[in-house]
Amino acid sequence: MKRTTTLLLAVLLVLGVPAQTMLKHPWQGKRVAYLGDSITDPRNSGAKKKYWGFLQDWLQIEPYVYGVSGRQWNDIPRQADRLKQEHGQDFDAIIIFCGTNDYNNGVPLGQWYSEAAAQVEYGHGQPKQLVSRKQRKPVMVDSTFRGRINMALDSLKRTFPTKQIVLLTPLHRSNFHANEQNWQCDESYTNQCGLYLDAYVDVVKEAGSVWAVPVIDWGAQSGLFPQHSEHGIYFHNAETDLLHPNDKGHQRLARTLMYQLLSLPCRF
C-alpha cells in the first residue's frame, strides 16, 4: 500500500493537484454495494478474500455484497431490491459485475430499442406543429441480454438517481469442470447462440453509453488471461477451475479497480 500511495502522490504532483487533496482516494471510506455472480459472492470457495475485501482493507470501503453464484443480469433487479430493503439510500455507490453466466447460458443479445412511427409537436423558427418522426424506446424483456440490462439499469436509475453506478465487463474465462452436470468450456468456443464471449463484453460497454454509466473494462485491464497455463496461478484450480480467480487473482482485480476508480467520483 505504501508503494501505491507513493506512486499516486507522484502522479498527482505532476498534475498539479493541491497538496491538501493529494492523500485521499475519492472512494476512501465510502459505502459501496456490489451486485453480480460467483466472483462477487462471499460464499464462493474460489478465493478466501474477494476483490471487494481487498478494497475494504486498502481503502476502508464498507462493502454491501449481494452477488450470488450462477446468477445472470436478470437477477440484478432482485439484488438491488435487497439493497434498498436493507440500506435504503444510505450508501454511496453501486458496482455491477455480471454477464459471464449470460454468455454460458446462451442468452440471445437482442436489441437496445424498438422503433416505431410517431407524432410529436415541433417548432423551430416557426409555430409548433404536429410532425411525423420515428421514435425509439428501450426494449424491456427478460429473454435477451440487452433487454435484461435495460430492465436492470432502468430500475436502478429510477430507484437510486443520486448514486454512482459502475459496470465491470466480464473477465476472460477458460475451462470450468465442477462436475459432470456443470462442465463449461472455455471462451474459444461459441455458446448455444453461436456467439463468443466478446459479444457480451461489447454489450456491457455499449450499456455505458445507453444508460449514462461508467464502464471499467476489467476483462482487458486486469490482465488475467486463463487461456495461458501460466496464468493458472491466478485461478482457483489450474486443472478444473480457470473461471474463478483465487486470492492472488482477486488481489490483481482489486488493484486494477482501485486505480480505475481514481478517475470517478463516488458521491455527487
Side-chain angles (χ1 to χ4, degrees):
M1 188 59 187
K2 184 177 179 181
R3 182 179 177 184
T4 300
T5 303
T6 302
L7 179 58
L8 173 59
L9 287 172
V11 171
L12 292 173
L13 282 169
V14 170
L15 294 175
V17 177
Q20 64 269 25
T21 65
M22 287 195 303
L23 296 176
K24 192 170 183 180
H25 191 289
W27 291 60
Q28 182 87 32
K30 301 301 192 294
R31 299 156 300 173
V32 177
Y34 299 91
L35 314 183
D37 52 37
S38 57
I39 301 179
T40 299
D41 190 341
R43 295 160 294 190
N44 182 269
S45 61
K48 297 182 182 68
K49 179 177 286 190
K50 306 300 190 292
Y51 65 93
W52 46 263
F54 286 104
L55 293 179
Q56 185 177 23
D57 288 349
W58 300 338
L59 297 176
Q60 294 74 55
I61 292 175
E62 184 175 355
Y64 301 153
V65 185
Y66 294 95
V68 179
S69 292
R71 298 305 171 93
Q72 304 168 40
W73 258 95
N74 59 350
D75 193 55
I76 297 301
R78 184 197 64 80
Q79 295 177 30
D81 285 344
R82 280 196 58 204
L83 169 63
K84 184 181 179 183
Q85 291 167 14
E86 296 179 7
H87 297 285
Q89 300 287 330
D90 193 21
F91 66 96
D92 299 301
I94 299 171
I95 292 178
I96 305 174
F97 179 38
C98 201
T100 195
N101 291 315
D102 299 82
Y103 155 77
N104 183 60
N105 284 274
V107 178
L109 296 185
Q111 301 297 322
W112 288 117
Y113 304 104
S114 62
E115 190 178 61
Q119 297 283 304
V120 64
E121 289 185 328
Y122 178 78
H124 184 66
Q126 59 184 9
K128 68 178 181 181
Q129 58 182 315
L130 206 60
V131 297
S132 296
R133 297 284 177 89
K134 287 184 178 180
Q135 182 184 26
R136 65 184 188 183
K137 296 181 180 180
V139 174
M140 303 288 185
V141 295
D142 182 66
S143 57
T144 71
F145 192 48
R146 289 188 175 96
R148 291 175 171 187
I149 295 176
N150 277 344
M151 292 174 69
L153 292 182
D154 178 76
S155 176
L156 284 165
K157 283 282 191 175
R158 295 177 189 277
T159 306
F160 305 112
T162 65
K163 307 302 181 185
Q164 175 69 280
I165 300 172
V166 179
L167 307 185
L168 307 178
T169 66
L171 302 176
H172 286 276
R173 51 180 289 157
S174 193
N175 296 324
F176 176 58
H177 302 155
N179 54 59
E180 293 297 319
Q181 303 301 317
N182 191 2
W183 193 277
Q184 301 179 26
C185 51
D186 71 63
E187 67 175 52
S188 67
Y189 297 92
T190 59
N191 63 8
Q192 301 94 310
C193 294
L195 297 169
Y196 291 103
L197 176 64
D198 313 44
Y200 294 80
V201 172
D202 288 342
V203 167
V204 174
K205 293 178 184 178
E206 292 169 11
S209 296
V210 172
W211 286 101
V213 293
V215 180
I216 294 174
D217 190 357
W218 230 5
Q221 293 167 343
S222 71
L224 296 182
F225 197 69
Q227 286 71 22
H228 285 179
S229 59
E230 292 82 357
H231 278 242
I233 60 173
Y234 290 112
F235 290 87
H236 182 222
N237 187 302
E239 299 298 324
T240 62
D241 186 357
L242 289 165
L243 174 62
H244 300 100
N246 57 20
D247 284 30
K248 187 171 185 173
H250 273 275
Q251 185 181 53
R252 183 161 177 167
L253 290 174
R255 198 168 295 280
T256 300
L257 185 56
M258 179 175 67
Y259 279 96
Q260 292 298 314
L261 292 176
L262 275 170
S263 66
L264 296 173
C266 186
R267 290 178 180 166
F268 295 101

